[in-house]
């Protein structure tokens, strides 16, 4: 029987197979940030343990950093302590670190790929659930808690039970103007927020193959929003082309050897999946979430659902609760929902391609007068630099957007970038949970294009109609 | 880690599906660099009318009377009864820390999100999966009887109801063993240090680029 992509990467990293079905899995890459690592370093210290392989780690502050001018440091004392703790810990253990002033600093899931530090066939972990992003490279990448951050630092391994194999096949061509974000939001709407629990999802099909690496990262990023700890996409020329010449990618003779090995990183034709879901790409429209779970999505042309139409009492209650929280009436057309703020950024949609797409919509237009704040937060210093070289910053600033420094920002609102009570946001991030972007804040998940269109019109609208 | 063998405790209900880790412990508390102090902020946005922050005076808080856990009958609860897909979202281990430090030793639900489920075992908090119809029935029993307690027996893998009914649950044998014995995961894995080192040597020799360091 053939192997899936997940089987191949998993099997190549088994240090020891337990009799009870658990495996000790070797971890190639560990990416680290300031929020989920301090207690892990403290644990190492208390136990008198050292880091197993320092060269496997890359660290950077991203979650709890200001995105406004930070040339004079971080004003918030508690945040400043968390960031300086990361710096101290990295210094003590010799862990490679991109400091706040370094242009390579940025969101962990943006900078890892950008540096070529996540390669096909690798196992990669990070104390952040959106580590699934990195599976776009044919790597097995997943988020871990702080105890496991400590465990991987001390042992270079994870003790795990293998997940089941799930295939989400998106065949056909998406209509023009439909993005990777729309594809993954649509998938989550179909399979549900627990649809991939206990599984590793491989995304395949012509609509996935036609995506750029940025688009593939957007899709894998939100595998966790469908419940799957890891999402993966097979390696092809697009993957290899993206990696060539990046700082951590192999070079010289190693490059040729690596590429040959990487070309085997796809599911065999006779591989068997525990579950297969087929999605028709042609049916996907630009998506907007209306509720407080990523599965609560509809096309931009649609309406907010009516709980009265839901037969299942638990689901009906969840819809009612979400509508109350979101301040929405049943059956409201999505395009009639006005917004207060716009956030373009996050590990889902802050890469150069995302900023280009948003800028194309914004170019020559102005942020609507009813919008209190529209902000663009590039995923890394390098993305920011590239965007400025292309003049994207000028397009955004001329239109009335704020152009910020890199970080996680309003995706989770650990810094000052937050929604106030009752504020409604068109956001390119990944979670619309209650309070996620600020206590009482109301999040609508959308693509960069849809967020940009909402910014310039003041309400949701199909960005394609602005062309 | 503290051992988990048998415990009996008051049950508090939280009858919602998809309770995420942002709800269990909101973002502002993740600024702490410590492992403790999260219990007072567990479910902060649901539990209080005012907005909490690190360092807030606990005496100044305004409890939300509508939130289940604030009802007097559920004070001192150590078992949480929850809806499906409990603990979805962020990988923050602050979520099991907050629940455990609030006083919970076990969470019973029809299903859990994977990362949260895994994190619980590292902190002596036992996540128990019971069938949806059984959880539904337990919700009804908790609502109907004041002071409703359950006994969780990890050794026997059973939840015992007040009527004496034994509800069996599955648990990964290795995790069960480590919880029963209170073993440290890292210490156990380091017993395999030689095997890890041997694997690593061969693995990095085969694919040397895995260990490449970038200049600068």
């Amino acid at each position: 029987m053939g192997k899936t992509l997940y089987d191949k990467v998993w099997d190549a990293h088994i240090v020891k197979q337990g009799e009870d079905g658990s495996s000790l899995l070797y971890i190639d890459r560990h990416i680290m940030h300031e929020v989920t690592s301090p207690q892990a370093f403290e644990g190492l210290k208390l136990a008198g343990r050292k880091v197993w392989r320092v060269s496997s780690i890359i660290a950077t502050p991203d979650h709890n950093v200001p995105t406004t001018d930070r040339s004079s440091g971080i004003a918030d004392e508690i945040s400043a302590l968390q960031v300086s703790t990361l710096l101290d810990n990295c210094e003590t253990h010799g862990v490679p670190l991109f400091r706040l002033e370094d242009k390579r600093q940025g969101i962990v899931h943006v900078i890892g790929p950008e540096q070529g530090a996540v390669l096909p066939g690798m196992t990669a972990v990070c104390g952040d659930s959106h580590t699934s992003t990195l599976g776009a490279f044919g790597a097995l990448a997943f988020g871990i808690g702080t105890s496991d951050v400590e465990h991987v630092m001390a042992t270079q391994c994870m003790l795990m039970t293998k997940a089941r194999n799930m295939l989400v096949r998106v065949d056909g061509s998406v209509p023009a103007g439909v993005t990777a974000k729309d594809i993954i939001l649509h998938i989550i709407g179909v399979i549900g927020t627990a649809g991939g629990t206990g599984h590793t999802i491989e995304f395949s099909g012509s609509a996935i193959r036609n995506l750029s690496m940025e688009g593939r990262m957007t899709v894998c990023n939100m595998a966790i929003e469908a419940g799957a700890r890891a999402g993966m996409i097979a390696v092809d020329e697009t993957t290899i082309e993206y990696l060539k010449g990046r700082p951590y990618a192999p070079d010289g003779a190693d490059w040729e050897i690596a590429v040959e090995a990487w070309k085997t990183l796809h599911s065999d034709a006779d591989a068997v999946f525990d579950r297969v879901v087929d999605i028709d790409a042609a049916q996907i429209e630009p998506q907007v979430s209306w509720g407080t779970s990523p599965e609560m999505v509809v096309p931009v042309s649609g309406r907010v659902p009516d709980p009265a139409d839901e037969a299942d009492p638990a689901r009906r209650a969840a819809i009612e609760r979400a509508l109350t929280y979101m301040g929405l009436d049943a059956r409201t057309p999505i395009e009639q929902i006005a917004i207060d703020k716009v956030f373009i950024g996050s590990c889902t949609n802050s890469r150069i391609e995302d900023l280009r797409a948003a800028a194309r919509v914004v170019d020559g237009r102005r942020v609507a007068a009813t919008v209190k704040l529209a902000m663009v937060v590039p995923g890394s210093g390098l993305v920011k630099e590239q965007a400025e070289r292309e003049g994207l910053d000028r397009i955004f600033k001329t239109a009335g957007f704020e152009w910020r420094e890199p970080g996680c920002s309003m995706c989770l609102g650990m810094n000052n970038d937050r929604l106030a009570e009752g504020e409604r946001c068109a956001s390119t991030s990944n979670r619309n949970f209650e309070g996620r972007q600020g206590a009482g804040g109301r999040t609508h998940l959308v693509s960069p294009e849809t967020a940009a269109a909402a910014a310039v019109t003041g309400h949701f609208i199909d960005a394609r109609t602005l062309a | 880690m503290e051992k988990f063998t048998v415990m009996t405790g008051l049950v508090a209900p939280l009858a919602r599906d998809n309770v995420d880790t942002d709800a269990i412990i909101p973002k502002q508390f993740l600024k702490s660099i410590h492992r403790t102090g999260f219990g007072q902020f567990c479910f902060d946005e649901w539990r209080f009318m005012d907005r909490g922050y690190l360092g807030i005076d606990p005496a100044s808080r305004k409890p939300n009377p509508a939130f289940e856990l604030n009802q007097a009958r559920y004070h001192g609860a150590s078992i949480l009864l929850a809806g499906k897909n409990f603990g979805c979202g962020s990988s923050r281990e602050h979520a099991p820390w907050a629940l455990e430090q609030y006083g919970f030793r076990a969470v019973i639900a029809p299903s859990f999100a994977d990362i949260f489920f895994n994190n619980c075992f590292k902190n002596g908090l036992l996540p128990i999966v019971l069938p949806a119809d059984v959880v539904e029935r337990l919700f009804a029993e908790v609502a109907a009887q004041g002071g409703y307690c359950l006994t969780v027996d990890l050794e026997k893998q059973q939840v015992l109801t007040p009527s004496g009914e034994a509800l069996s649950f599955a648990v990964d044998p290795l995790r069960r063993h480590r919880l029963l014995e209170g073993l440290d995961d890292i210490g156990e894995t380091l017993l395999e240090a030689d095997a890890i080192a041997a694997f690593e040597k061969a693995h990095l020799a085969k694919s040397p680029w895995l260990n490449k360091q970038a200049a600068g």
Side-chain angles (χ1 to χ4, degrees), chain A residues 103-107 110-111 114 350 378-384 406:
Chain A
K103 66 183 176 187
R104 296 171 298 176
Q105 179 269 341
I107 305 172
V110 173
I111 68 158
E114 193 171 71
S350 65
S380 71
L382 289 169
V383 169
K384 183 168 185 259

Side-chain angles (χ1 to χ4, degrees), chain B residues 181-216:
Chain B
E181 301 297 328
L183 296 175
D184 162 33
D185 271 349
I186 296 176
E188 293 297 297
T189 299
L190 283 175
L191 297 175
E192 306 292 345
D194 291 347
I196 299 169
F199 177 93
E200 180 173 68
K201 195 173 167 204
H203 185 65
L204 298 183
K206 187 180 167 209
S207 311
W209 56 85
L210 293 175
N211 204 26
K212 183 186 169 188
Q213 289 303 291

Side-chain angles (χ1 to χ4, degrees), chain A residues 62-63 106-111 113 128-134 181 213-222 224-225 343-351 354 377-380 407-412 427-431 436:
Chain A
D62 62 352
H63 280 61
I107 305 172
V108 278
H109 315 307
V110 173
I111 68 158
D128 188 285
S129 61
H130 290 109
T131 308
S132 60
T133 309
L134 312 175
K181 183 66 166 287
M213 285 317 296
E214 284 86 349
R216 294 177 190 187
M217 284 189 258
T218 300
V219 169
C220 287
N221 172 272
M222 291 189 73
I224 185 66
E225 262 41 83
F343 171 58
I344 297 176
S346 88
C347 58
T348 315
N349 283 125
S350 65
R351 298 178 182 83
D354 300 313
V377 185
S380 71
C408 299
S409 181
M410 205 197 276
C411 174
L412 85 166
S427 179
T428 66
S429 57
N430 40 59
R431 288 189 175 133
R436 169 78 179 181

Side-chain angles (χ1 to χ4, degrees), chain A residues 107-127:
Chain A
I107 305 172
V108 278
H109 315 307
V110 173
I111 68 158
E114 193 171 71
Q115 292 298 315
V118 179
L119 299 168
M122 267 188 170
T123 47
V125 297
C126 173

Side-chain angles (χ1 to χ4, degrees), chain A residues 55-69:
Chain A
S55 62
S56 68
I57 309 176
I58 289 178
T60 199
D62 62 352
H63 280 61
N64 191 12
V65 300
T67 58
T68 45
D69 176 33

Side-chain angles (χ1 to χ4, degrees), chain A residues 26 53 55 147 151 249 435, chain B residues 16 27 93 189 200 211-212:
Chain A
Y26 185 81
R53 182 162 69 87
S55 62
S147 293
H151 190 277
Chain B
R16 298 172 198 182
K27 65 196 73 49
E93 197 161 318
T189 299
E200 180 173 68
N211 204 26
K212 183 186 169 188

Side-chain angles (χ1 to χ4, degrees), chain A residues 127-172:
Chain A
D128 188 285
S129 61
H130 290 109
T131 308
S132 60
T133 309
L134 312 175
F137 291 85
L140 173 59
F142 46 85
I144 57 178
T146 297
S147 293
D148 278 331
V149 170
E150 184 181 341
H151 190 277
V152 173
M153 276 202 283
T155 70
Q156 210 58 44
C157 290
M158 282 284 293
L159 185 63
M160 302 183 86
T161 305
K162 196 178 171 199
R164 291 183 291 276
N165 278 292
M166 179 166 173
L167 181 68
V168 174
R169 196 162 40 201
V170 190
D171 268 316

